[in-house]
Structure formats: structure tokens, C-alpha cells
Amino acid sequence: MARIVDLDEAAALLAAGAVVAIPTETVYGLAADATNEAALRQVFALKGRPLGNPLIVHLPDAIAAQDWANGTGDPAVTALLARFWPGPLTVVLPARPTVLPLVTAGSGQVALRVPAHPLARALLARFGGALCAPSANRSGYVSPTCAAHVLADYPDHDLAVLDGGDCPGGIESTIVRPLGDTLQILRPGAVDLATLRGHWPGPVLAAEPGALPVPGSSPRHYAPRTPVLLVGRDRLAEAGPTDAVLAIAPAPTGLDAADLRTLPADPAGYGQVLYATLRELDRAGHGRLLVQRPPAGEAWLAIANRLERAAHPERLP
Ligand code: AMP
Ligand code: MG
């Protein structure tokens, strides 16, 4: 059975090479010492994560990034980090040779982030090192945004959980890679493209599909067990009495569905409650979940990306 621990115990467990689930401003992570290979292997084993899927390194501040990556001194990169750290932006840079291959999946590139959540920051300060902390869900499932989600995902494990309440963001970090003048978006997320453009001198471009063959970008991910159909608003009426519907405000009327949830019509508000709503609906065991397709456009890019993957027809293992 997973159990709740306090900050002191969490830091002591991490120092002893154990895994601790921690809150961040995006989602909960499964944290382990980023320099301890045995501890990191436990993270992969617990999540059922393929070993070829690299891990994001969580740091106390931008100065610590110099120990992990080259290129942090580039003026455009320095300015980017100064603007967005602490915060939900992950930056992929050439890795220092000392970074464990398990962290980079042997790619020679390391993903770095300085979380903003006060408990994550306090833990990093107390621990005194760097933590890998992939989202604390079982691999492929919906990310957890509160301690109860984490506890539910690991019923058979003695997993320590640092409870920070609900995550304020609710959607994973945006992952970017500086490539010459260009800032490549590897995963849309909490920081939107319009905001990034204001703080990067060159082009800010979505990566070509397949530019980075890492499993985190596999087509099915973030997915409930209930089959998800992503449809236009006019097709929500196809939901039958055994189906659930996830709509965008205002609430549709006249539906025959077993459950109707209506989420806010702004991407930030929607993202905050999306995973909790998906998990709740999934637990109810509906026949299908009909999800209203979000509006086109960059502001909804991260949400659309998560919903498309949740709706991918490939079956969960
Ligand atoms: P999460 O499980 O939410 O922490 O997401 C981790 C994801 O970050 C991975 O699945 C990759 O897509 C991405 N990532 C982590 N490390 C790297 C890296 N070194 N290079 C490129 N992408 C990375
Ligand atoms: Mg994840």
C-alpha cells in the first residue's frame, strides 16, 4: 500500500535511493536521485516504463543546469531559462558525459527543468541534488494530478507519496530543444507557443513527427481504459445511455448519455481538470467516452495533443 510521507522523510528516502511520488506545478512525478542508477531502475520498473524512454532531470535552479548540459551559456538559452525557470518548461540540451545513459536513453541529450511548485522546490533544496521525476502514472495511463491518483495507481507497492494537494497546472511541461536559431517544440504543454515566441529571438517551430523517436511521443499515451472517441460538438449526440460525454462549455443539452461533464472553454481551466475528469469517468466503467474536439489553434495545442493520444485506437498493454 502506498503511504503519505512528509518533506523530511521524502528527502531521507531519496537520499537512501528510494522512489518518492512528488507534486509539481504540472502533474505528480515519481522522483528518484538522478545520479543513482539503481534508484532510476526502480522508477522504470514501477511505472512499467520502457527503458528507452528518457527522463526529465529536475533541478533546484538554472546554475545547476551547467553540471548536466552544455549550451546553457548561449545568450538566447540563458535568457529563455531566466524567463521560464522555475516553471513548466523543459529544455533539451547536449548532455555532459557524466549523465547516466538511463536518463538520456543513450541519446546524448538531456531534458532539464526547474519546477516551481513550493514543495518540489523545498524537497530539491533539502535533498541537495537533482531528481528524475517522470509523471507518476503507470506507463501509458492518464497522468496524476493529486495524491489520491498516485495511491490508486500503485495499490500493491509500498510507495511513499509527498502530498501537495491538487497540481495547479494539470498538463505536463512544454518540452523544447534549441537547434541553432530555432526553438523546436518536442512536446506542447503548459507553456504555449505564443508565450515562447516572445522570449526566443528565432523561429519557434513544432518538431516534425518522428523527429525524436522516444516513446513519450508514441501515438497512444495519457489514455484511459475506456475507449475514447474525439468528435465534433455536433456528434456528442451520438452518445448512448452507456456512454459518457466530455464537452466544452457551454453544456450541450438533450443528450442521452450516462454522464455529461462540461469543462471550461479556456485551455488553462480545461487543462487543470482534464486528467482528474478522465480518471473519474474511467473508474465508472462507461462503454465509451465521447470527447468534444477542442478548437483549432495554438492555444489549445497541448490539450489537443493529449486528447488525440488518449483517443488513439491502439490498445493499452
Ligand atoms: P514525463 O513522463 O511526463 O516526465 O515525460 C518525459 C518525456 O520527456 C519523455 O517521454 C520524452 O518524450 C521527453 N524527454 C525526456 N528526456 C528527453 C531527452 N533527453 N530528449 C528528448 N526528449 C526527452
Ligand atoms: Mg508521462
Side-chain angles (χ1 to χ4, degrees), residues 47 49 135 137 143 221:
K47 277 181 63 75
R49 184 178 178 100
S135 54
N137 52 284
S143 300
H221 209 77

Side-chain angles (χ1 to χ4, degrees), residues 90-314:
T90 297
V91 182
V92 174
L93 290 166
R96 295 268 192 195
T98 46
V99 182
L100 289 171
L102 207 52
V103 172
T104 63
S107 67
Q109 318 234 346
V110 65
L112 303 174
R113 174 179 160 202
V114 175
H117 194 289
L119 266 185
R121 292 179 63 71
L123 182 66
L124 279 162
R126 203 160 303 196
F127 172 66
L131 297 169
C132 285
S135 54
N137 52 284
R138 303 264 310 157
S139 189
Y141 194 58
V142 180
S143 300
T145 56
C146 65
H149 293 161
V150 181
L151 296 172
D153 280 7
Y154 300 93
D156 303 327
H157 295 277
D158 178 33
L159 174 67
V161 182
L162 182 64
D163 188 353
D166 290 341
C167 296
I171 291 284
E172 294 81 358
S173 63
T174 302
I175 305 182
V176 299
R177 178 166 59 169
L179 270 187
D181 288 351
T182 301
L183 191 66
Q184 199 181 38
I185 309 295
L186 300 178
R187 175 177 75 183
V191 179
D192 67 21
L193 270 61
T195 309
L196 283 169
R197 283 205 186 92
H199 299 276
W200 184 259
V204 175
L205 299 173
E208 294 293 318
L212 203 80
V214 294
S217 46
S218 69
R220 186 172 177 107
H221 209 77
Y222 313 103
R225 294 188 179 80
T226 312
V228 173
L229 269 78
L230 196 55
V231 299
R233 186 171 172 94
D234 53 326
R235 285 191 52 201
L236 293 178
E238 290 172 21
T242 60
D243 298 329
V245 167
L246 189 59
I248 300 175
T253 52
L255 299 188
D256 199 19
D259 197 349
L260 164 65
R261 303 298 176 95
T262 303
L263 301 192
D266 70 287
Y270 186 108
Q272 225 164 39
V273 289
L274 172 62
Y275 291 150
T277 309
L278 285 178
R279 279 175 172 261
E280 226 177 279
L281 290 171
D282 205 23
R283 266 206 312 277
H286 298 292
R288 302 177 305 172
L289 173 58
L290 276 73
V291 178
Q292 180 180 340
R293 190 179 294 286
E298 273 181 11
W300 286 87
L301 199 61
I303 306 279
N305 168 279
R306 304 307 188 269
L307 292 177
E308 271 156 26
R309 295 209 219 166
H312 195 272
E314 208 172 88

